[in-house]
């Protein structure tokens, strides 16, 4: 057994991440003849590369997606997913994740899970080793522990300092005193600095394999400084992801409450099914329009009555078409079309970028 410090370092490497994240994976079968596709959010370029590599070798499409996002779950520098995620208002990292598997139409998810770096892999075991779809909080942690997932502190020093600075500056009427500007940690300064645009993070990955089967996952640390126990769209089947193996797969990042109120990922897949051969980008723009139409709370509108937040969609049709869309311009998506991986623009509903308010 490695000493604790070395063991921790080992556990942070991608290979170790893959070991923990592979619990519950299916047996590899010979690859088929179809053209595989993998899509992800902008933080998923390495994710689609790994997922593609795996499906080309005959791995299950969901297992490929889970292995792909595990790279980001294990990355301490991504503050929106897994290790290094920005914590809740109490300084505790709470993770949400879900998976869906096309061939079985199975789904599993975990919410408000603490101390486990790979919630998407735990969600796969909820799907495979229980008769349920969703486990939360302490129950989800005990389930993960029982299946041998290693527990660790997910709050990195950098995320802790960011959280502390947020706490120290969030009220002028309490007893906390923020550090003098010249004593501010460089990483905290960068996080809150002028170049920083607070964006939603999270990672979604959808995969079409060489047999024409689909798998998808969404995994996140959720909103920064959220109320403990707040659960977003990511672990809710139909909201943060959905698939129908005969039709297509879709997932979303951005303001989770908007997706919860519209079951947007289900809407995307249903709209694909109902609309036949409607271009996929138009299907996703319909989902954006639905969010705009139902966003009736003035607190969530800009001066023109549009949402003052962004939501992004990523999708693959059963026939291999793929697309991304967003309410406002700017977001990109990662795509691997079997030949190469790249970032492409999500098609926006509104041509301008979201202005910070
Ligand atoms: N959708 C995520 C949530 O609401 C956040 C995000 O995508 O950044 O938890």
């Amino acid at each position: 057994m490695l000493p604790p410090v070395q063991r921790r370092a080992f556990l942070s490497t991608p290979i170790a991440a893959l070991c923990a994240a592979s619990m519950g994976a299916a047996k590899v079968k010979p690859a088929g003849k179809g053209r595989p596709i993998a899509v992800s959010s902008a933080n998923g370029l390495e994710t689609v590369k790994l997922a593609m590599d795996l499906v080309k070798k005959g791995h299950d499409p969901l297992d490929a997606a889970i292995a792909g996002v595990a790279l980001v779950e294990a990355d301490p520098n991504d503050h929106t997913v897994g290790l290094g995620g920005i914590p809740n208002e109490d300084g505790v990292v709470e993770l949400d994740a879900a998976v869906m598997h096309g061939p079985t139409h199975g789904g599993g998810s975990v919410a408000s899970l603490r101390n486990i770096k790979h919630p998407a892999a735990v969600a796969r075991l909820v799907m495979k080793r229980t008769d349920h779809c969703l486990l939360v909080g302490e129950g989800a942690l005990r389930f993960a522990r029982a299946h041998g997932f290693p527990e660790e502190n997910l709050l990195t020093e950098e995320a802790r300092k960011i959280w502390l600075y947020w706490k120290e500056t969030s009220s002028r009427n309490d007893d906390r005193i923020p550090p003098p500007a010249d004593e501010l940690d460089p990483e905290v300064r960068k996080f809150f600095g002028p170049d920083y645009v607070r964006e939603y993070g999270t990672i979604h990955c959808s995969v079409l394999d060489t047999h024409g089967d689909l798998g998808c996952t969404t995994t996140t640390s959720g909103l920064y400084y959220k109320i403990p126990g707040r659960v977003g769209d990511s672990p809710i089947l139909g909201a943060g992801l959905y698939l129908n193996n005969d039709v297509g797969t879709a997932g979303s990042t951005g303001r989770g409450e908007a997706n919860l109120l519209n079951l947007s990922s289900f809407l995307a897949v249903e709209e694909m099914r109902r609309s036949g051969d409607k271009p996929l980008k138009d299907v996703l723009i319909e989902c954006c329009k639905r969010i705009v139409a139902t966003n009736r709370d003035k607190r969530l509108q800009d001066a023109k009555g549009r949402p003052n937040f962004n939501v992004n969609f990523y999708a693959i049709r059963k026939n291999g078409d793929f697309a991304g869309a967003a309410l406002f311009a700017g977001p990109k998506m990662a795509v691997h079309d079997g030949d190469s991986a790249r970032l492409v623009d999500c098609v926006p509903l509104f041509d301008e970028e979201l202005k910070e308010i």
Side-chain angles (χ1 to χ4, degrees):
M1 178 90 155
L2 291 170
V5 175
Q6 279 183 33
R7 189 155 180 273
R8 244 188 111 119
F10 170 73
L11 283 172
S12 302
T13 63
I15 291 174
L18 291 181
C19 296
S22 69
M23 287 185 214
K27 287 203 174 65
V28 179
K29 57 184 186 186
K33 298 228 177 324
R35 185 184 181 87
I37 304 285
V39 300
S40 185
S41 25
N43 50 351
L45 199 55
E46 296 306 314
T47 295
V48 294
K49 288 182 193 166
L50 178 57
M52 182 54 65
D53 195 38
L54 293 173
V55 284
K56 281 185 171 174
K57 291 179 177 147
H59 287 259
D60 177 272
L62 172 58
D63 296 342
I66 291 173
V69 299
L71 295 174
V72 179
E73 289 177 329
D75 178 358
N77 297 315
D78 189 314
H79 290 308
T80 67
V81 181
L83 177 72
I86 301 295
N88 66 19
E89 68 179 11
D90 293 342
V92 178
V93 180
E94 287 184 333
L95 305 179
D96 296 339
V99 302
M100 279 197 82
H101 183 239
T104 55
H105 200 71
S109 55
V110 289
S112 297
L113 176 64
R114 301 178 174 193
N115 298 350
I116 306 287
K117 192 163 56 185
H118 293 299
V122 181
R124 172 173 51 198
L125 282 177
V126 172
M127 178 183 84
K128 289 194 163 179
R129 301 288 292 272
T130 78
D131 190 30
H132 309 307
C133 289
L134 172 59
L135 294 181
V136 305
E138 177 62 22
L141 174 59
R142 280 156 63 174
F143 174 82
R145 202 185 274 146
H147 281 276
F149 281 83
E151 278 185 75
E152 59 192 293
N153 177 16
L154 302 178
L155 184 67
T156 58
E157 271 304 278
E158 189 172 312
R160 182 189 62 74
K161 286 177 191 163
I162 290 167
W163 163 77
L164 182 62
Y165 187 73
W166 166 79
K167 212 169 166 61
E168 287 175 335
T169 52
S170 53
S171 169
R172 285 200 209 138
N173 299 319
D174 66 15
D175 299 333
R176 294 189 182 84
I177 302 172
D182 58 351
E183 286 177 24
L184 200 57
D185 254 87
E187 59 262 39
V188 179
R189 192 193 311 279
K190 186 164 161 241
F191 192 82
F192 290 99
D195 297 336
Y196 177 75
V197 183
R198 183 178 161 163
E199 284 176 357
Y200 289 89
T202 302
I203 184 161
H204 169 77
C205 182
S206 274
V207 174
L208 169 72
D209 77 2
T210 54
H211 301 281
D213 286 325
L214 300 166
C216 65
T217 180
T218 303
T219 173
T220 189
S221 47
L223 292 187
Y224 300 167
Y225 329 117
K226 60 194 174 187
I227 297 172
R230 178 266 183 188
V231 172
D233 59 326
S234 308
I236 304 302
L237 307 176
L241 77 174
Y242 196 72
L243 62 70
N244 176 333
N245 209 46
D246 297 332
V247 177
T249 170
S252 184
T253 60
R255 184 179 156 79
E257 283 69 12
N259 283 334
L260 285 166
L261 290 168
N262 291 285
L263 283 183
S264 311
S265 294
F266 175 76
L267 180 66
V269 175
E270 264 308 277
E271 196 59 24
M272 282 183 220
R273 187 182 67 78
R274 272 188 307 177
S275 66
D277 54 4
K278 185 170 175 172
L280 190 51
K281 69 176 175 36
D282 295 344
V283 167
L284 300 183
I285 288 293
E286 283 304 316
C287 299
C288 295
K289 286 183 181 164
R290 179 70 62 88
I291 288 174
V292 174
T294 56
N295 186 50
R296 304 211 173 110
D297 187 343
K298 295 266 178 276
R299 190 176 55 88
L300 297 171
Q301 296 176 358
D302 68 9
K304 294 183 183 166
R306 303 173 306 185
N308 59 17
F309 53 84
N310 215 347
V311 175
N312 315 314
F313 292 101
Y314 322 93
I316 310 175
R317 255 208 167 101
K318 177 88 172 166
N319 67 3
D321 289 351
F322 58 86
L327 295 185
F328 290 92
K332 294 193 179 292
M333 71 187 285
V335 176
H336 201 309
D337 60 8
D339 292 331
S340 62
R342 57 194 184 277
L343 289 178
V344 301
D345 287 331
C346 289
V347 177
L349 172 62
F350 303 117
D351 275 337
E352 54 212 277
E353 293 195 5
L354 177 67
K355 294 195 181 53
E356 284 293 295
I357 50 160

